[in-house]
Amino acid sequence: LNGKRTSNNLRLGSIEQYYPTVKGGAGAPRLLTGVEFLKQLDVTIPGTLSRTLADSMMLGLHGFNGNQYFLILKVNDYERGFAGMLEWEKNMRTDLLPLIRVTHPQEEMMATTTVFTDTVVANTDTRVFKNEVGESILMYAFADKDTIVISTNTSALKYVLEKLLTVRTIQ
């Protein structure tokens, strides 16, 4: 993940999608599900969230202020998905450190709080984790009842939320 972020020179405002895979039957690549991808990052999400995650997910980079990672997960049950995200908040920062470390190397040493707060990004209720100097370093929002967007940067989150809203409006 570190190499992808730093080696790509994305145009400002562009997005690049990655397709995390494993070898499937007969050695052919198979896309990872959201749960499988998080396990590859050594993340242990709460059972409440794990049981409601759908198979589809997206990992991407947004070209703005350096390349910023974002992750889109789908849930089958909004209420349980939301409860699972709230439960995960106490460990989310350390669980997603491989993504955070890319943008905020100092975060590895700064682990005194795990408090998320509410804010609004792109007219969407958002939960944000800030470091000790007040910088937003991890955030997530439900773009709709079945789509969670997780990002390390407010600009990336806003861009993805606005693109998802545009797609829904067109359909």
Side-chain angles (χ1 to χ4, degrees), residues 49 52-54 56-58 70-79 81-82 85 124-126 140-150 157 160-165 167-168 171:
L49 181 59
T52 192
L53 281 182
S56 61
M57 54 86 62
M58 177 185 173
F70 65 90
L71 178 64
I72 300 174
L73 300 170
K74 300 294 254 179
V75 293
N76 297 318
D77 182 323
Y78 171 77
E79 286 78 19
F82 188 75
M85 290 298 291
T124 304
D125 291 331
T126 302
Y140 71 91
F142 277 79
D144 56 38
K145 294 285 185 192
D146 62 355
T147 308
I148 305 167
V149 182
I150 302 171
L157 181 68
V160 173
L161 289 171
E162 288 173 347
K163 289 298 177 190
L164 290 171
L165 179 61
V167 169
R168 281 193 307 253
Q171 294 176 345

Side-chain angles (χ1 to χ4, degrees), residues 16 19 23 25 47 52 68 72-73 85 95 107 114 116 167:
E16 186 168 286
Y19 300 92
K23 288 187 179 182
T52 192
Q68 308 297 326
I72 300 174
L73 300 170
M85 290 298 291
D95 281 348
E107 287 311 310
T114 58
F116 278 73
V167 169

Side-chain angles (χ1 to χ4, degrees), residues 111-163:
T112 61
T113 182
T114 58
V115 177
F116 278 73
T117 57
D118 293 315
T119 192
V120 175
V121 175
N123 294 322
T124 304
D125 291 331
T126 302
R127 299 284 292 162
V128 177
F129 176 83
K130 295 182 179 184
N131 64 15
E132 282 77 0
V133 295
E135 298 169 316
S136 299
I137 61 158
L138 182 63
M139 60 212 63
Y140 71 91
F142 277 79
D144 56 38
K145 294 285 185 192
D146 62 355
T147 308
I148 305 167
V149 182
I150 302 171
S151 179
T152 58
N153 179 278
T154 305
S155 297
L157 181 68
K158 180 179 179 185
Y159 185 85
V160 173
L161 289 171
E162 288 173 347
K163 289 298 177 190

